[in-house]
Amino acid sequence: IFLFLFVPLSLSTMSQAQVDYALIANGEVVLAEYPFDYSPFNVVAARILGKIPPRTHKQAFVYEGKRYSYIADESGLIVMAMTKEDESFLGTYNFLLEIQQAFNGSYNSSFRNAGPGAFNDRCSGLLRSRMETFAKPTGAGERLERFVESQKGILLAVASRTEKLELADSKYDDLDVASKKFDVETRRLKTKLWWKNAKTWIYLLCALMIAAVVVVAVVLICFKLPIP
């Protein structure tokens, strides 16, 4: 199923996101963050850093109405942003990508042995300025972005439903094959049991005939009767 959505959307509108907290880290070591004040956000972000594997990927965690989105690479560099749970995914990841590219362009791998807060004086201004630039628009721009987000959710729901239907069809085919195989095995087992039962009766009849012959022979011998 192919669905196309055409919306007159400018690049600046697509890149908006209200970021309330951001950080740059090397693994679990926070190199720079903004704002600096200690809050529950810092604690949650620190716990998430401890769960991020050192590979190139992006992911998001939701906790108490806040979404902690991050991008990471194989060098261990992590850029994280905290937004509201319903904030634009696209705008948030554009923000993270810009911070990552700016940091790598300026410092490359010089951060590897840096301690906590070592880049605060150099990067806090970068975080603050980009947070201001990516601040969510108001009015028509906001309504348009929300419309795009809602349509994206519909498309994802349709795609998920299609995938589930295809999976159900596949499971039905597998069940049909398994049913036919079961019927064949059942008939084979019934035939095997019938022959086994027949052999048992044949052996029993043979034993009874032999026993009858022995009994007759013993009686004839005991009573000295002529054996026919």
Side-chain angles (χ1 to χ4, degrees), residues 124-135:
S124 60
L126 170 66
L127 294 174
R128 183 182 68 254
S129 65
R130 300 317 296 157
M131 288 167 69
E132 292 173 353
T133 301
F134 276 77

Side-chain angles (χ1 to χ4, degrees), residues 3 8 10 47 114 119 122 134 137 139 141 156 181 185 198 200 209:
L3 298 177
S10 67
R47 291 181 179 178
F119 285 80
R122 287 170 282 183
F134 276 77
L156 291 175
K181 185 178 179 181
E185 293 295 332
T200 301
M209 290 175 63

